[in-house]
Every structure is written in C-alpha cells, then in structure tokens.
C-alpha cells in the first residue's frame, strides 16, 4: 500500500467553482486568472520604465561612471534583499500584495532621482531600489505560484500544468518590457529631436527630465495597480493552519483504516502538498512534498543542485545587456541601434516564455526546456567566438539580430523554467525562501559579470567563462532532477 506519509490517495468529489474568487485589497472578489492578469500588467508598466532606464544609464547620465555605478549598486543591494525578502513577505502584516507595492515605491525613488542625477541622489536611491527589488520579486514568485495552485484546485487542471502556464504567462508578459521599455525611451527622445548616444551632442536635460517623468508615472501606476490584487496576508493564518492539519490527519487515518470519504483537498494542504488530478495514474493524488531544509533552503539538495543553473541565468542576462551591446552591437551598428537590437532580444524572450508555458507539465518537461535554452545560448556563444565583430551591412545586421534572438530565447526559457521548477518542487507555502535564493544568486552572477565587463576583460574570455558555467549548469541538472523526483515533485 505504501507509506501514507509519502503518498495519500483520495478522490476529490467537491471542487471549487471554476470562477472561484478571492477577496481583493479593496473588498472585491477575484479569480486566480484575473489576479495573474493584473499582476502581469502592473509589472509590465513598472518594468517598461526600469528596463528603459537601465539600458540608458551608461549614456544619458553626464557624470563619468555614475550611470554604471548606480546599476551595479542596484544589483549589489538585490543580493541582500532577495535573501531577506522571504521574511518580509511572510510577515502577517505584509504579504505578497503589500510587499510588491512597497517595493515598487523604491523603484519610484530611483526614477525621481534621475530628474536631477548626481552622486548624492542616484547612489542612495539605487541602494533603496535594490533593497526593495528583493521584496518585489520574492512576492511575485510566491503570489503567482499560489494563484496557480488555486486555479488548479478550482478548475481541475493538473497542478504542474497550472504552475507552468501561470509562470510562463507572467514572464512572457514581463519580457515585453524589453521591447516596450526601449521603444518608450527612444520614442520620447526622438519626439524631442534627440538620439541618445549619437554624435550630435548631449541630450538636453529638459528632455531627459520629461522622459523620467514618464518613467516615474509608469512605476507609480504599476505599484498602485498591485493594490487591486487579492491579499494573502493577515488574520486567519492560525485558524487556516489548524484546519489544514485536521484535514491532513483525516487523510492519514483514511489511508490506514479504509477508503476515505469523498472530500476536497486543498492544494497547499499539509507541508507543501500538491493536488494532482485527472491525469493517468496520479488522478486525485495528494503528494506530500517536504519543506526546504536549512537557511532559505540552502541545506536542501533540491535547491543546491539548481545553483549552477541560477548562476548562469544571472550571467547570461548581464552578458546580453552589457558585453553584447558594448562589444558587438555598438561597434557594428552604433548606439542608436542598441534599442532596436534589444527589442528583438525581448521579442524572442517573450515567444520562448510562451512556448515554455505550452510544453512544461512537470519537472521532466521543464528539464527539456532547460536543454533547449542551453542549446540556444551555446549557439549564440559559439557564433560570437567564431566571429566576434560585425559591420553595418545587411548581412551583418541580420547576423547580429539572430544572435540577439538566440540570447533572448534562451533567457525566456531560463526565466520561465526556473520559476516553474521551483513552483513544482516547493509549494507556495514554502517557496519564498527558494525564490529568494534564485533572485539573490542570479543577481550576484549579474553583478559579477557587469564588473568583469567593466574591468576590460576581452569578449572571448567572457564567452569562455560563460561556456564553463553553462557546462556546470547542464551537468547539475540530473542531480536536481533526482532530488526533485525523490521528494515527490510532479514529473
């Protein structure tokens, strides 16, 4: 019969209505899919502003080195805040909704500082942004995973499929900011007759202030929209926990003593339980997945085995935004083409995230996506090793856009895949720590590679470093898969 602690079998007979609602911040009710759409739209608004800002900092800020230094300070603070975000989000008075909204206010301070950019305004607000960013991203990951679990419970969709689709939808929407953020910046500056980075001189400070007023409004709109989301924090935690414990004990007793009564099993029941339904041999099965072990899960093999993949994710993002644009795009096509090439990168990122949403059904298909992402990144790196410089001909432009598309598609796979994987292996109840580790270690990789790029290391050396980290990431995946499979995560 098997241990009831490892696998409890019951057949749920009462399901939540397909339009199951949750109380929102303003007293309204909201279904999980609507909550997903709202959080995605809010992040698109806010990160159109942030991504547009980040791509312009090195060229639009007049003080030498200030723009790049402030971006480095953001990622340095993010390393710390991602690790601490778990405790902020889990406070009863905070929760994911308030934590994300407060974090976006930190982004707003950085946009406001760019109205008068000096060392005394940008550097402190960059640190503030980095500290708030950890709460934003840990809250987002926890919130989206929880909404996916609720959707699976209400609509009878397998939990693995729901987690994959919700995360992929979010990241597909989010990565459109790589397209729209660049277009907003270019559009505002072009409307004022400026071309950032051109030989025509420095952009007029008044035009720059108009641009950052637009960015500031976008961030505030995104943060305000988050207050419309359901509130998972507060008040009923102890009562809900007792109800869950009672239901888990009833399931154990039923397995030991006979067939269980038809009943409803919550998706986050017990310690990380997943409800898998209507799919072959696992129909109606509650699998108890143990919580992460150690500080933030760093003592847990299920998470430790992912660290090389997480590190590569951060490195490839830094390479695309920094070294690729500086060493390949700018010398070949000029600074005015950087936004266009990165828009192509973002479009490929979106498409890849959508594809991941269709193929990811569990850890096995998620691993297939990882290998696809590794192949895309490897192809781009090999192309750059074979030919590191390009001209401005139509053929060279096509080649640069193809490399950007491969890098973007790889990023979309890693982004959606890692989020889905953690959602599969750790339930929403225990996922805040692992999500914090993901953001913290990826931010460390991003910051490290920005500093490597700034130190004057050659492009070929950076590519070989990336190849080595990618090889370690691919080699670590079988270990991560075995650890996840041993804990009962959906395959």
């Amino acid at each position: 019969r098997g241990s009831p602690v490892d696998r409890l079998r019951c057949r749920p007979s009462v399901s939540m209505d397909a339009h199951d609602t949750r109380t929102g911040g303003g007293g309204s009710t909201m279904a999980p899919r609507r909550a997903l759409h709202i959080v995605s739209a809010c992040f698109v608004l806010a990160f159109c502003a942030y991504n547009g800002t980040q791509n312009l900092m090195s060229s639009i800020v007049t003080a030498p080195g200030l723009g790049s230094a402030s971006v480095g300070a953001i990622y340095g603070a993010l390393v710390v805040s991602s690790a601490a975000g778990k405790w902020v989000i889990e406070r009863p008075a905070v929760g994911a909704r308030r934590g994300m909204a407060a974090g976006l206010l930190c982004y707003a301070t950085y946009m406001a500082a760019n109205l008068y950019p000096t060392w005394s305004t940008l550097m402190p607000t960059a640190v503030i942004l980095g500290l708030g960013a950890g709460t934003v991203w840990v809250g987002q990951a926890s919130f989206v995973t929880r909404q996916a679990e609720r959707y699976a419970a209400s609509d009878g969709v397998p939990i693995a499929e729901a987690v994959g689709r919700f995360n992929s939808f979010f990241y597909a929407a989010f990565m459109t900011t790589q397209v729209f953020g660049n277009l907003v910046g270019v559009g505002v500056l072009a409307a004022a007759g400026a071309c950032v980075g051109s030989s025509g001189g420095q952009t007029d400070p008044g035009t720059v202030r108009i641009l950052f007023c637009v960015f500031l409004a976008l961030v505030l709109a995104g943060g305000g929209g988050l207050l419309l989301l359901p509130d998972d924090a507060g008040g009923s935690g102890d009562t809900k926990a007792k109800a869950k414990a009672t239901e888990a004990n009833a399931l154990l007793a039923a397995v030991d003593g006979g067939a269980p009564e038809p009943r409803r099993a919550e998706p986050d029941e017990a310690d990380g339980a997943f409800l898998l339904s209507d799919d072959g041999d696992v129909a109606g099965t509650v699998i108890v997945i143990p919580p992460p072990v150690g500080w933030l899960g760093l003592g847990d093999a299920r998470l430790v085995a992912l660290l090389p993949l997480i590190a590569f994710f951060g490195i490839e993002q830094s390479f695309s935004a920094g070294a690729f644009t500086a060493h390949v795009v700018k010398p070949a096509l000029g600074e005015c083409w950087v936004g266009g090439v990165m828009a192509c990168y973002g479009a490929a990122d979106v498409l890849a995230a959508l594809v991941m949403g269709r193929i990811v059904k569990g850890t096995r298909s998620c691993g297939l996506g990882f290998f696809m992402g590794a192949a895309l990144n490897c192809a781009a790196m090999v192309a750059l090793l074979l030919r590191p410089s390009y001209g401005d001909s139509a053929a060279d432009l096509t080649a640069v856009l193809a490399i950007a598309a491969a890098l973007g598609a790889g990023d979309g796979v890693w982004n959606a895949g890692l989020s889905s994987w953690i959602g599969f292996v750790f339930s929403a109840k225990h996922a805040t720590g692992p999500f914090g580790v993901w953001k913290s270690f990826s931010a460390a990789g991003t910051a490290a590679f920005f500093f490597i790029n700034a130190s004057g290391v050659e492009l070929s050396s950076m590519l070989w470093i990336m190849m080595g980290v990618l090889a370690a990431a691919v080699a670590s995946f079988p270990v991560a898969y075995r650890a996840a499979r041993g804990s009962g995560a959906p395959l």
Side-chain angles (χ1 to χ4, degrees):
R1 181 171 58 178
S3 171
V5 175
D6 294 327
R7 180 163 291 189
L8 307 177
R9 295 193 178 274
C10 66
R11 187 161 185 87
S13 62
V14 180
S15 66
M16 297 163 63
D17 183 76
H19 301 286
D20 174 48
T21 56
R22 302 286 166 176
T23 302
S28 61
T29 57
M30 187 177 298
R33 282 182 295 184
R34 186 181 177 195
L36 171 67
H37 296 158
I38 289 178
V39 74
S40 300
C42 290
F43 271 67
V44 166
L45 288 173
F47 282 89
C48 274
Y50 175 72
N51 286 334
T53 298
Q54 180 178 265
N55 292 336
L56 291 172
M57 288 306 292
S58 62
S59 59
I60 207 169
V61 177
T62 57
L66 174 56
S68 298
S70 67
V71 174
I74 289 172
Y75 284 102
L78 179 58
V79 174
V80 177
S81 66
S82 294
K86 164 184 167 66
W87 285 279
V88 176
I89 294 300
E90 290 182 349
R91 296 306 91 193
V94 182
R97 177 177 69 96
R98 296 189 186 96
M100 290 187 291
L104 286 185
L105 285 179
C106 297
Y107 282 72
T109 64
Y110 186 69
M111 302 302 156
N114 272 284
L115 296 175
Y116 297 94
T118 65
W119 286 93
S120 60
T121 58
L122 276 187
M123 294 304 291
T125 54
V127 173
I128 291 172
L129 189 159
L131 293 176
T135 302
V136 169
W137 284 109
V138 174
Q140 172 274 323
S142 177
F143 182 85
V144 171
T145 299
R146 183 173 295 278
Q147 296 306 314
E149 291 183 356
R150 288 174 172 170
Y151 174 73
S154 66
D155 281 36
V157 176
I159 184 67
E161 181 178 342
V163 170
R165 288 191 176 186
F166 269 53
N167 279 291
S168 295
F169 178 91
F170 172 83
Y171 282 109
F174 172 77
M175 290 316 300
T176 62
T177 62
Q178 284 286 358
V179 179
F180 298 129
N182 284 306
L183 294 180
V184 168
V186 172
V188 172
L189 294 172
C195 180
V196 178
S198 71
S199 59
Q202 181 64 40
T203 305
D204 176 62
T207 302
V208 174
R209 291 191 184 101
I210 293 174
L211 173 62
F212 280 103
C213 283
V214 173
F215 284 159
L216 177 60
L218 289 174
V219 171
L220 292 176
L226 290 173
L227 297 178
L228 300 174
L229 291 170
D231 190 356
D232 289 336
S236 60
D238 292 339
T239 302
K240 189 176 181 180
K242 290 177 182 178
K244 291 178 182 179
T246 300
E247 190 158 77
N249 289 335
L251 286 170
L252 285 168
V255 171
D256 286 333
E261 291 293 325
R263 60 181 295 113
R264 176 79 183 89
E266 287 292 332
D268 54 350
E269 191 170 7
D271 275 343
F274 279 134
L275 177 63
L276 308 180
S277 61
D278 301 325
D279 238 358
D281 295 333
V282 295
T285 300
V286 174
I287 301 176
V288 177
I289 297 177
V293 177
W295 181 72
L296 289 178
L298 285 176
D300 196 318
R302 294 172 295 172
L303 186 59
V304 172
L306 280 181
L307 293 183
L309 287 87
I310 292 172
F312 181 77
F313 170 70
I315 288 172
E316 61 88 12
Q317 284 195 323
S318 176
F319 175 82
S320 300
F324 176 63
T325 57
H327 292 277
V328 179
V329 181
K330 179 182 174 181
L333 305 171
E335 286 186 350
C336 289
W337 264 98
V338 170
V341 171
M342 292 307 291
C344 176
Y345 169 95
D349 211 326
V350 172
L351 292 176
L354 289 173
V355 171
M356 280 292 286
R358 305 307 301 178
I359 69 172
V360 169
K361 309 295 182 185
T363 52
R364 186 177 297 158
S365 54
C366 197
L368 174 62
F370 285 151
F371 284 112
M372 291 169 53
L376 289 165
N377 284 128
C378 187
M381 289 185 288
V382 169
L384 290 172
L385 282 170
L386 293 176
R387 187 183 176 188
S389 61
Y390 294 84
D392 57 358
S393 67
D396 284 356
L397 172 60
T398 302
V400 171
L401 290 175
I403 293 171
L407 291 171
D411 182 71
V413 169
W414 294 111
N415 220 339
L418 280 169
S419 183
S420 297
W421 181 279
I422 294 175
F424 295 149
V425 177
F426 303 98
S427 74
K429 180 180 179 182
H430 299 295
T432 50
F435 277 125
V437 170
W438 172 25
K439 290 301 176 184
S440 183
F441 276 77
S442 65
T446 300
F449 229 64
F450 265 121
F451 287 122
I452 290 174
N453 183 41
S455 66
V457 175
E458 293 183 355
L459 177 65
S460 60
S461 299
M462 288 187 280
L463 289 168
W464 282 116
I465 293 172
M466 289 181 65
M467 293 283 275
V469 177
L470 179 59
V474 172
S476 71
F477 174 73
V479 179
Y481 178 76
R482 285 195 296 269
R485 185 177 182 180
S487 71
L491 301 182

